Amino acid sequence: MDEDTQVCERKAIDLVRYALACHASGKPLKRENLKAHVLGNTPARNTRQLLDRANELLTQNFGLKMVALPSHEKVLTAAPKAQPAPAKWVLQSTLPDAARQRLDLPQSDDDQAILGFAATVLSLVFVSNMSVSVDQLVLYVRKLGPPQCIAPVDSRGASDAHLDSAAREAIAYLTRHGYLDKVKLGASETQATQQPTDGGDHHDDGMVYTWGPKAKIEFQPLDMARFIAAATGQECTEDFLRIIGRAYGSNIASQ
């Protein structure tokens, strides 16, 4: 193994370690941090080679791969545009569904509560043709009651203002973590202006929520349909998929 190959291998291993550390902390792997902590002055032409080698090591040793997070998208776009180079990655399992289901991975109560809450909120957006107004989503979250680990509030004695604030805080949490995108619609429903925000309650006029980049990686349409079926006590039949597909705005059964 020549010196250049050894350097590439060491940096690929460093990249694997850094990606695992980001994954353990629940944060995406950002391009600027990757350059600062791993790549350094690595020529751009070698970056792709490093990423490919790191993915090989992740797949072989951990059953994981780095997947680029989709960029923030418009809700309703007139025409697709060329995608920029990925700016963030997350780790995704490469194991088959059956193998993942056999794994009994430990999760804290908070992690389980957050994941369940995120999936439920995303399912409401999913069956609303992937677009929910700010006020409507706040109402949904108020009815659901956000997990205490995200927005601690006692719903029994809290005022409407406190409940509203807790709901918006929970929505902002999901937005910061990439589960939701908050975007502004243009003057007509055929145009949309991309304005991703932190999910706060400012500038809500004309704003809607849709799935964020992390949601698109972690939840496939068919998986979400199955989650909705399980949550509502129904069987995920072809008829059920057709009904959910109409609410989603696309055919799920064929995906």
Side-chain angles (χ1 to χ4, degrees):
M1 184 181 294
D2 59 40
E3 184 176 352
D4 288 344
T5 304
Q6 290 178 347
V7 171
C8 179
E9 188 71 9
R10 285 198 300 271
K11 288 195 172 184
I13 293 172
D14 289 343
L15 175 51
V16 167
R17 290 171 175 161
Y18 186 64
L20 290 171
C22 290
H23 182 65
S25 63
K27 299 177 181 178
L29 176 62
K30 297 182 180 180
R31 177 177 289 275
E32 59 265 30
N33 294 339
L34 178 61
K35 182 174 178 60
H37 296 292
V38 179
L39 297 179
N41 58 357
T42 301
R45 65 179 180 275
N46 293 341
T47 300
R48 182 72 263 170
Q49 179 183 356
L50 280 173
L51 290 172
D52 290 343
R53 178 54 182 157
N55 257 337
E56 288 178 4
L57 293 172
L58 283 166
T59 300
Q60 292 169 3
N61 295 286
F62 303 101
L64 297 168
K65 65 178 179 180
M66 289 187 295
V67 177
L69 287 177
S71 60
H72 292 281
E73 297 177 358
K74 297 178 180 180
V75 176
L76 300 169
T77 52
K81 293 184 178 180
Q83 292 295 316
K88 297 179 182 179
W89 294 263
V90 294
L91 295 187
Q92 188 178 53
S93 175
T94 60
L95 298 176
D97 289 342
R100 290 205 306 271
Q101 290 171 2
R102 289 196 299 269
L103 293 176
D104 186 17
L105 299 178
Q107 273 189 320
S108 69
D109 291 342
D110 285 353
D111 287 341
Q112 292 180 15
I114 290 170
L115 183 58
F117 174 69
T120 304
V121 171
L122 291 173
S123 72
L124 294 171
V125 178
F126 186 81
V127 296
S128 300
N129 202 21
M130 295 298 284
S131 175
V132 175
S133 70
V134 173
D135 289 342
Q136 187 63 56
L137 191 60
V138 169
L139 180 61
Y140 284 155
V141 172
R142 281 190 55 166
K143 290 181 177 180
L144 285 173
Q148 292 292 310
C149 55
I150 294 179
V153 64
D154 185 355
S155 59
R156 292 169 297 180
S159 66
D160 282 346
H162 280 105
L163 292 174
D164 190 81
S165 177
R168 290 179 181 273
E169 183 179 346
I171 292 170
Y173 177 93
L174 295 180
T175 304
R176 288 194 305 271
H177 285 77
Y179 287 109
L180 292 172
D181 251 353
K182 186 181 182 184
V183 296
K184 184 175 179 62
L185 291 179
S188 69
E189 290 188 349
T190 59
Q191 297 177 338
T193 303
Q194 178 188 348
Q195 292 186 358
T197 74
D198 62 1
D201 60 359
H202 50 283
H203 306 306
D204 281 349
D205 290 343
M207 304 298 287
V208 296
Y209 280 101
T210 186
W211 277 23
K214 190 173 183 179
K216 296 170 187 174
I217 293 293
E218 294 190 358
F219 297 94
Q220 298 302 312
L222 184 55
D223 294 331
M224 182 53 67
R226 288 169 176 163
F227 170 79
I228 294 170
T232 56
Q234 302 183 63
E235 293 186 14
C236 193
T237 62
E238 289 296 321
D239 287 341
F240 179 82
L241 289 177
R242 278 192 288 271
I243 293 171
I244 295 297
R246 286 196 292 269
Y248 166 56
S250 182
N251 184 8
I252 300 174
S254 63
Q255 296 184 13

